[in-house]
């Protein structure tokens, strides 16, 4: 699987910020790559309201996940490890903002035959010691 395998991704995110809850539910065509001991899921968000962004989930063999979202001038990289606080950065046109994630739930299930999988992440996002929001990611993929 060193070359990419086409997959269909179903993504749901739930966000709670300042008491407001929002839900995002989309399907994307993407690719799955296996490099070394890591699995990469990549797709492009193309939304009329926002500029195009490339999203990559890197699933490490230790169970940790790195989420990268890149658009024209923005780059967010988040790291998720079960029950750990992990530092990251959010690059904006105005500079880098230090952020942190705390992940109370992280689960990954992948089956090779047929190639299907789920990624579930619940996390809290902090900046400067302040809670910015609570998030849940529910990602499913299949060929």
């Amino acid at each position: 699987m060193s070359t990419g395998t086409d997959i269909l991704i179903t993504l749901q995110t739930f966000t709670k910020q300042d008491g407001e809850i929002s839900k995002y539910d989309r399907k994307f065509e993407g690719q799955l790559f296996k490099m070394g001991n890591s699995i990469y899921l990549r797709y492009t968000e193309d939304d009329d309201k926002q500029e195009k962004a490339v999203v990559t989930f890197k699933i490490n063999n230790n169970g940790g996940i790195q989420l990268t979202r890149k658009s024209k001038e923005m780059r967010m990289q988040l790291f998720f490890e079960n029950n750990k606080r992990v530092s990251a950065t959010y690059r904006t046109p105005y500079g880098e903002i230090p952020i942190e994630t705390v992940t109370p739930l992280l689960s990954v299930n992948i089956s090779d035959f047929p190639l299907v999988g789920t990624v579930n992440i619940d996390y809290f996002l902090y900046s400067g010691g302040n809670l910015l929001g609570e998030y849940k990611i529910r990602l499913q993929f299949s060929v």
Side-chain angles (χ1 to χ4, degrees), residues 7 61 64-65 80 120 123:
I7 57 172
N61 65 344
I65 294 180
F80 306 106
N120 295 317
Y123 69 99

Side-chain angles (χ1 to χ4, degrees), residues 47-120:
D47 192 335
D48 293 339
K49 299 174 192 164
Q50 301 176 4
E51 58 189 56
K52 193 181 293 190
V54 175
V55 179
T56 305
F57 285 81
K58 177 185 178 190
I59 303 167
N60 299 311
N61 65 344
N62 67 358
I65 294 180
Q66 174 183 323
L67 169 60
T68 305
R69 186 176 191 280
K70 289 190 263 186
S71 60
K72 200 180 243 180
E73 296 182 23
M74 312 277 264
R75 182 173 187 267
M76 182 172 54
Q77 196 168 36
L78 300 175
F79 300 92
F80 306 106
E81 292 187 37
N82 257 329
N83 297 309
K84 290 189 179 176
R85 181 180 288 260
V86 184
S87 298
T89 56
Y90 183 32
R91 188 175 67 216
T92 72
Y94 310 105
E96 290 195 356
I97 300 169
I99 53 178
E100 295 177 311
T101 58
V102 175
T103 310
L105 171 75
L106 176 63
S107 70
V108 176
N109 293 302
I110 298 175
S111 172
D112 287 332
F113 300 104
L115 181 59
V116 295
T118 60
V119 176
N120 295 317

